[in-house]
Amino acid sequence: MEVEIQQGNSSIHPARTVWGDHNFLKLWTGQSLSMFGSQITAMALPLIAALSLKSSPLQMGILHAVEYAPFLLFGLVAGVWVDRLPKRPLLIAADFSRAALLMSIPILAWVGLLNFFYVCLVAFVVGVCTTFYSIGYQSILPYMLRKDLLVDANAKMELSRSAAGVTGPGLSGLLVQWLSGAVAIVLDAFSFLISGLLTCRVQVDEPPRQVKQSLLSGLSREIGEGMRLVFQNHYLRSIAACSATFNFFYNMILAVIIVYTTRTLGFSPAEIGLVMTLGSLGAVLSVVFSGRLVARFGLGPVIAGSALGQGLGFLFLFGAAGTKTAAFLMILLSMFIVSLTTTVYNVAQISFRQSITAPDMLGRMNATMRFVVWGVIPLGALSGGALGTWIGLYETICAAACGGALSFLWIWSSPVRTVQEGKRGEAAKDEP
């Protein structure tokens, strides 16, 4: 299926707002609550494994890997099912399932039956549900909103993600310290429950699906259609390559930076939390003006410029050496720039992808993108750990920073950077 840049009056105008759309507000509120809850679990589960279950470093690595494995194993299948089935029931089922699964952890902990295998099992199944949810909510927005509201809607979604990233780790640490990891996970379970209840009240004008075959039949053909859609289109292919390259090298850094800052630089846990929280403020700030940037310059230049900014932010990590204070400031500056530009990049490129993809292909397009972009995360983490052991922690950070700094070249050598779609008062002039 061909993907076309929309012409004329269908261009996106980010100046308009979604605040008046009650259906979107219900979905957004639920998604925001679940993102805050997920940040709690993202820290609470490893802390339960490390402190309560006395897990080894190898086990901690396994736990991190199983959280992202579902995107590799089920992401493409999820895309087919999202396109075949009504999306709202899928979102509701994913929320309620995650609530039930997470609630089982504190119950088993309180009766003394919790073990590492079960924690990994829950992390994996929750990851499967999250795979369906993340593909589903990105695919449902074009059915809920006009194209001229997609940039604003995605900016609100990124605002939730950014705010959760800023406050979640600190809040989670306090909850685990004051109450216990099990109690912290109870709050996450309730956040998914509330999200599911709110989504039950969302009304979506989605045409009914008439699926005559079983859910397992025709999977390879439809998965192939989604992959061809992404890899044969210059726009989607370059965005996927840029995002995957960035994620690979970024997760190389994440794999070793905690060990480097604690063992080499002498950072305390509080100092690590502080630099992560302050660095994430860039993401919150960027949401405020991302729509204005698109309105002023167009989606293509914003995608290209923010991709370049991500790479420049990486280079400040070369200064993460010497005195503790200087290293703290360089890491903070790097994280701030990366979080700011990455959020702008995500708002622009997700809105662009949604606007150029046919409605019946949205699920498979989003699934293929997630398969490529998130599938490299465990590969990057394993590469960072191996390289850190081989050449050293600081050297690995610098090598990964260089690789990540070049990720923008995929966009700059493609037609994406010239797309004027979304620029206020101008129609798109580019064809695939």
Side-chain angles (χ1 to χ4, degrees), residues 82-215:
V82 166
D83 279 339
R84 287 183 181 181
L85 302 172
K87 297 169 183 55
R88 188 177 71 98
L90 280 176
L91 298 181
I92 295 170
D95 273 335
F96 288 159
S97 297
R98 288 185 288 184
L101 287 164
L102 289 170
M103 188 62 75
S104 68
I105 288 183
I107 292 175
L108 290 179
W110 288 332
V111 299
L113 297 178
L114 187 65
N115 56 57
F116 176 77
F117 174 79
Y118 188 77
V119 171
C120 286
L121 178 63
V122 169
F124 180 80
V125 182
V126 167
V128 174
C129 296
T130 301
T131 300
F132 279 88
Y133 186 91
S134 61
I135 295 171
Y137 92 76
Q138 285 190 352
S139 303
I140 202 174
L141 286 181
Y143 288 97
M144 296 175 59
L145 302 167
R146 302 187 310 271
K147 287 185 178 180
D148 58 337
L149 295 177
L150 287 178
V151 169
D152 192 33
N154 285 309
K156 300 296 186 293
M157 293 291 193
E158 286 298 317
L159 174 61
S160 301
R161 190 187 310 278
S162 303
V166 170
T167 61
L171 177 61
S172 178
L174 292 176
L175 288 172
V176 172
Q177 183 172 338
W178 291 345
L179 301 176
S180 79
V183 174
I185 288 179
V186 170
L187 297 179
D188 189 14
F190 274 109
S191 74
F192 286 125
L193 178 62
I194 296 172
S195 176
L197 292 173
L198 286 171
T199 307
C200 286
R201 302 186 61 188
V202 172
Q203 297 179 353
V204 183
D205 185 18
E206 185 179 0
R209 296 285 188 263
Q210 295 181 351
V211 181
K212 297 181 180 180
Q213 71 271 41
S214 70
L215 289 178

Side-chain angles (χ1 to χ4, degrees), residues 39 136 268:
Q39 285 291 328
S268 68

Side-chain angles (χ1 to χ4, degrees), residues 165-406:
V166 170
T167 61
L171 177 61
S172 178
L174 292 176
L175 288 172
V176 172
Q177 183 172 338
W178 291 345
L179 301 176
S180 79
V183 174
I185 288 179
V186 170
L187 297 179
D188 189 14
F190 274 109
S191 74
F192 286 125
L193 178 62
I194 296 172
S195 176
L197 292 173
L198 286 171
T199 307
C200 286
R201 302 186 61 188
V202 172
Q203 297 179 353
V204 183
D205 185 18
E206 185 179 0
R209 296 285 188 263
Q210 295 181 351
V211 181
K212 297 181 180 180
Q213 71 271 41
S214 70
L215 289 178
L216 296 179
S217 65
L219 278 177
S220 60
R221 176 181 58 81
E222 295 188 47
I223 288 173
E225 290 174 353
M227 297 189 74
R228 285 192 296 272
L229 172 68
V230 171
F231 291 115
Q232 292 181 3
N233 181 272
H234 295 303
Y235 298 90
L236 297 177
R237 184 175 64 236
S238 60
I239 291 173
C242 176
S243 301
T245 303
F246 171 86
N247 273 354
F248 178 84
F249 288 109
Y250 184 54
N251 280 274
M252 282 185 64
I253 295 171
L254 292 182
V256 298
I257 196 165
I258 297 298
V259 178
Y260 174 70
T261 53
T262 54
R263 297 181 183 177
T264 304
L265 298 178
F267 282 20
S268 68
E271 289 170 330
I272 294 174
L274 180 62
V275 74
M276 293 178 69
T277 298
L278 293 177
S280 298
L281 288 175
V284 178
L285 178 64
S286 67
V287 172
V288 177
F289 57 79
S290 56
R292 297 176 184 176
L293 287 175
V294 173
R296 174 66 178 84
F297 299 105
L299 284 168
V302 171
I303 294 172
S306 56
L308 174 62
Q310 291 175 154
L312 294 177
F314 273 139
L315 297 180
F316 285 92
L317 290 174
F318 278 86
T323 67
K324 183 178 178 180
T325 301
F328 182 93
L329 292 175
M330 289 296 100
I331 295 173
L332 172 59
L333 185 58
S334 173
M335 293 187 65
F336 183 87
I337 294 174
V338 169
S339 67
L340 186 149
T341 52
T342 299
T343 303
V344 174
Y345 173 81
N346 284 336
V347 170
Q349 60 96 359
I350 291 173
S351 301
F352 178 60
R353 284 160 38 198
Q354 290 170 336
S355 71
I356 67 173
T357 302
D360 63 341
M361 291 293 295
L362 282 167
R364 280 167 284 177
M365 179 275 291
N366 286 322
T368 303
M369 296 293 290
R370 284 294 174 97
F371 176 79
V372 174
V373 171
W374 287 30
V376 301
I377 290 177
L379 301 178
L382 290 173
S383 300
L387 199 60
T389 303
W390 180 33
I391 67 173
L393 299 174
Y394 175 72
E395 291 78 7
T396 297
I397 292 173
C398 292
C402 290
L406 299 176

